[in-house]
Amino acid sequence: MSTAMNFGSKSFQPRPPDKGSFPLDHFDPDWASYTLGVFICLSCSGIHRNIPQVSKVKSVRLDTWEEAQVEFMASHGNNAARATYESKVPSFYYRPTASDCQLLREQWIRAKYERQEFTRPEKQEPYSAGYREGFLWKRGRDNGQFLSRKFVLTEREGALKYFNRNDAKEPKAVMKIEHLNATFQPAKIGHPHGLQVTYLKDNSTRNIFVYHEDGKEMVDWFNALRAARFHYLQVAFPGASDADLVPKLSRNYLKEGYMEKTGPKQTEGFRKRWFTMDDRRLMYFKDPLDAFARGEVFIGSKESGYTVLDGLPPSTQGHHWPHGITIVTPERKFLLACETESEQRAWVEAFRKVVDRPMLPQEYAVEAHFKHKP
C-alpha cells in the first residue's frame, strides 16, 4: 500500500524539524532521504541523489510514499541521524553552511553518510595524522599557469611547504601555520575545487592558488590545515576552550570586489583595483589572482580613530565610478569609489562591522607595524 505523504496525513504527523537539526541550515526542507530518515533541502537533495547506494530521495509533498517509508521517517529524523553519523566529528573539521561552496557541502555529506568518517575515526587519518604530503596544481606567480607541485604539511615543524621540483631538497616556500589561512575560492580561481592559501611573508600577505581534481583530496588538505592550526593554537593558548579556538582555524573574507582608488596625495587619477577585506587588513591587487597585494591598509576600531563615511570630499576629481567611500584613519584618508550603489552599501557595511568591533591586544601590535611601514 502506498500513500501520498504530507504533513496532515493520518499515518504520519511529524512536528516540523527545528532549525537546529540541520547543520547546513536547511530552511523548509521539502525533500527527504527515505533510506537515511532525514529531511533535506533542494540543494542537498541533488548531492544525495549522487550517492544512491546510500541515500534515496523523494519529495515530501509531490512523491508517493510507501507506508513503511513513512514509518521509517517517523522513527528516525535529523536529530537521530546526527547523533549516529556525527558522533565523532573532530573539533577542527569544517562543518559547512548553506552559503558554502558546492564542494564543501558535497564532501561533508559524503564523509558523513557514504564514507562514515565520523563514526569510524580510523578513516580520519588523511587530515588528522599531523603530516600530509601530495601533489597539487599551483598557479604560477608570473605566468598564471597551473603546474603540479609537491606540498608537505608537517605539524612538528609548524609549516606547510611546497617544492618546485620532485627531487628538490629545499622548499620554494615555507608557510608558517601560525599565520596561515585557507579559503575555497572556486569562482575566482576558475575551478570548482580551487583553494586560496594566504600567509605572511615579511609581514605582508602572500597568496597562492591551488586545486586538485579529486574533491575529497582537496577537502582533506583543507581540514588537515585546520587541524594543524588547531593543534598550534592549543599549545599557544593552553587555557582556551575548543569553542574559542575553532573560529580561528580558517576564515572567509568579509568582502571582495572591484573598487577604484587614488593615491595618498589624492591628486592622482583613480585606478580600478581588486580589494579583499581580510579581518582588519584591507588589501588591493591589480588582478584578483596576484600573489602579492599592491598595498594593505589596517582598519582599526572607532575608539582608535577609524571611521567610514559615505561619499567623497566635495573637491575630489578623477573617479569614474560615482558611489564613493571615505575611510578615515589616524594618519590619512583613503578615497574609494564603487560602480553601483548596492556595492557601496555592501562595502560600507563590511567596513563598519570591523570599525565597530573593539580591537584585541594583539591587533595593536599589527596596527603599529602598519604605521611604521616605509
Side-chain angles (χ1 to χ4, degrees):
M1 176 183 174
S2 63
T3 180
M5 183 176 99
N6 59 62
F7 291 130
S9 165
K10 64 181 181 180
S11 60
F12 185 34
Q13 293 180 317
R15 285 177 291 180
D18 64 274
K19 196 170 86 174
S21 302
F22 303 104
L24 283 174
D25 299 328
H26 298 293
F27 300 114
D28 300 322
D30 282 340
W31 296 81
S33 168
Y34 61 88
T35 52
L36 295 171
V38 296
F39 293 92
I40 53 179
C41 67
L42 175 63
S43 175
C44 288
S45 71
I47 299 172
H48 279 257
R49 288 184 191 279
N50 288 331
I51 47 172
Q53 70 278 18
V54 175
S55 183
K56 296 188 184 299
V57 174
K58 283 189 175 185
S59 167
V60 170
R61 293 181 172 84
L62 302 178
D63 286 329
T64 300
W65 285 72
E66 301 290 334
E67 201 161 313
Q69 294 168 350
V70 174
E71 291 170 359
F72 183 80
M73 294 296 300
S75 63
H76 288 73
N78 291 65
N79 286 333
R82 196 179 227 178
T84 299
Y85 292 104
E86 298 181 31
S87 60
K88 295 181 173 67
V89 182
S91 298
F92 60 79
Y93 196 96
Y94 186 79
R95 295 171 178 259
T97 67
S99 61
D100 279 307
C101 65
Q102 171 81 4
L103 176 66
L104 278 170
R105 291 184 290 116
E106 178 181 353
Q107 289 303 317
W108 165 257
I109 289 169
R110 287 185 179 274
K112 185 160 66 165
Y113 297 122
E114 183 182 41
R115 301 191 291 269
Q116 296 191 14
E117 291 177 18
F118 311 132
T119 60
R120 300 165 66 182
E122 70 273 10
K123 292 196 168 189
Q124 300 170 12
E125 191 269 342
Y127 45 81
S128 62
Y131 181 89
R132 183 179 176 86
E133 68 173 70
F135 289 87
L136 298 173
W137 293 98
K138 176 191 168 293
R139 187 179 190 273
R141 189 182 76 184
D142 300 321
N143 60 15
Q145 286 184 314
F146 280 87
L147 298 171
S148 181
R149 293 289 182 254
K150 180 182 177 181
F151 281 77
V152 175
L153 171 65
T154 165
E155 285 189 16
R156 185 173 58 81
E157 297 177 29
L160 173 68
K161 302 181 279 190
Y162 79 87
F163 300 80
N164 267 357
R165 298 192 318 276
N166 295 354
D167 59 349
K169 294 181 179 178
E170 294 300 321
K172 175 68 174 174
V174 177
M175 298 160 258
K176 288 294 184 184
I177 294 299
E178 178 184 2
H179 301 299
L180 186 143
N181 184 50
T183 178
F184 279 99
Q185 295 274 15
K188 185 198 286 191
I189 295 171
H191 192 282
H193 305 163
L195 185 75
Q196 180 173 349
V197 178
T198 62
Y199 63 101
L200 290 183
K201 183 175 183 179
D202 302 326
N203 214 45
S204 293
T205 304
R206 165 87 158 92
N207 298 319
I208 64 168
F209 303 94
V210 297
Y211 71 86
H212 195 286
E213 294 293 354
D214 185 319
K216 177 186 183 301
E217 187 81 6
M218 201 66 254
V219 174
D220 282 352
W221 269 106
F222 175 64
N223 281 301
L225 292 171
R226 285 175 57 88
R229 289 266 307 154
F230 183 60
H231 298 140
Y232 163 77
L233 291 171
Q234 282 181 314
V235 174
F237 303 99
S241 67
D242 288 2
D244 292 329
L245 299 180
V246 167
K248 303 180 191 309
L249 302 186
S250 62
R251 62 190 181 275
N252 295 326
Y253 299 132
L254 300 178
K255 177 99 177 84
E256 285 195 293
Y258 282 108
M259 289 190 286
E260 291 183 332
K261 68 167 288 293
T262 187
K265 296 180 181 177
Q266 299 171 7
T267 55
E268 307 95 326
F270 278 69
R271 293 181 177 178
K272 180 180 172 183
R273 293 288 182 257
W274 178 266
F275 282 80
T276 296
M277 189 73 223
D278 182 13
D279 199 28
R280 290 194 183 275
R281 287 176 185 255
L282 176 64
M283 300 170 283
Y284 55 91
F285 306 82
K286 190 172 182 181
D287 183 272
L289 297 177
D290 282 348
F292 295 99
R294 291 294 182 98
E296 300 188 37
V297 180
F298 181 87
I299 299 184
S301 64
K302 56 188 175 185
E303 291 86 357
S304 298
Y306 294 81
T307 55
V308 180
L309 306 172
D310 288 319
L312 299 169
S315 59
T316 308
Q317 296 179 344
H319 53 99
H320 304 97
W321 289 350
H323 305 283
I325 301 171
T326 301
I327 298 176
V328 182
T329 76
E331 279 71 46
R332 57 168 282 200
K333 293 180 180 178
F334 292 88
L335 308 185
L336 309 170
C338 300
E339 187 173 17
T340 66
E341 187 178 355
S342 61
E343 269 293 285
Q344 180 210 39
R345 283 200 302 269
W347 275 109
V348 168
E349 182 182 350
F351 291 145
R352 285 185 176 154
K353 280 182 182 176
V354 175
V355 168
D356 289 345
R357 194 177 75 223
M359 282 168 62
L360 300 172
Q362 58 267 35
E363 290 176 331
Y364 285 98
V366 178
E367 180 189 38
H369 166 78
F370 272 81
K371 288 180 178 178
H372 292 104
K373 268 190 175 182

